[in-house]
Amino acid sequence: SFIAIALLPVFGTDFGKGAVRWYSLGFASVQPSEFLKLVAILVTADLLSRRAGQMNHRRNTLYPLAAIGAIGAGLCMAQGDLGSAIVLGAVVFAIAWIAGVPFAPMALMGSVATAAGLFFVLSSQARTDRFTAFTDVTGNKDRLAWQTYQGYVSMASGGISGSGIGGSKTKLGYLPYAHSDFIFAIIADELGMLGAGAVIGGVMMLVWFGVQTALAAPDRYGMLIAGGVASWFGVQAIVNLGGVTGLMPVTGLTLPFFSAGGSSLFVSMAAAGLLLSVARRAGSRVGRTASRT
């Protein structure tokens, strides 16, 4: 209900691109889909941890699992936020895979989700044009792919060592959303290939830490939470970096811990806190086991 309220004209705010993703509080704005990702992880992990012996049971496990993904992604798409819908669906899918849900129902749910996403994109010609603009950035650089093209210019300007902190020219009105969606292009400009590589390496280390935490988790619920958080950070970073580099459509997703945005940073920090909590409990279990031996 929290995210659905944003669909009402009285509450929802459109800051551009036709997506009503925010509540405007006057002094600040809140993006409810960011909170929904964390809620989806917790609810999915709770469901699949309690139904550990019923992974193939339709009524008790598969239907509720499909409902979590469908309702969450559907609410995001209703706001015009395809990027969050993709991440939320991918995270639910990843947790289901970690939990041991059989391949056949996962393939069916994945096919239905893909078809729904394609229908959403193809239902509007303007949306289709924006979604496919990345396939010809040079040809669309004057309008649909302007942001991606300016991101290219920004990244190319950085070279190996970069132009220095504050030295980027494209962020001075040329590159839209330079502080949020396309922050990676500015990092590559000011810190060069070395800085860009450090950012990618940092994200990979965070995902690796999440995977290792899931493997060492003291219980099934902690394992699924850690795996869900790791997959969330990984998928969202891939979608963001893919859009900036022109390998994927631009969806308006933030780069976790780097992009400006209070909702994104707050929820990312909360998710990292959950990851650290699971890791601490795993460490405590290892310590108790060692002391017994």
Side-chain angles (χ1 to χ4, degrees), residues 216 218 279-293:
R280 184 180 62 179
R281 292 193 295 116
S284 298
R285 186 187 67 167
V286 172
R288 289 194 300 269
T289 303
S291 63
R292 293 193 189 101
T293 58

Side-chain angles (χ1 to χ4, degrees), residues 230-249:
S231 61
W232 171 17
F233 289 154
V235 171
Q236 182 150 331
I238 289 173
V239 175
N240 175 272
L241 296 177
V244 174
T245 56
L247 299 177
M248 299 173 65

Side-chain angles (χ1 to χ4, degrees), residues 221 227 240 267:
Y221 184 54
N240 175 272
V267 177

Side-chain angles (χ1 to χ4, degrees), residues 34 37 41 83-84 87 91 179-184 187 198-207 228-242 244 251-272 275:
E34 294 294 331
K37 296 171 191 174
I41 291 175
S84 291
V87 172
V91 168
H179 61 293
S180 56
D181 304 354
F182 272 65
I183 188 65
F184 181 76
I187 293 173
V199 170
I200 296 174
V203 173
M204 293 176 64
M205 286 185 61
L206 180 61
V207 174
V229 171
S231 61
W232 171 17
F233 289 154
V235 171
Q236 182 150 331
I238 289 173
V239 175
N240 175 272
L241 296 177
V244 174
T251 57
L253 284 177
T254 57
L255 182 61
F257 298 106
F258 286 93
S259 296
S263 299
S264 175
L265 181 59
F266 179 83
V267 177
S268 295
M269 292 176 67
L275 201 58

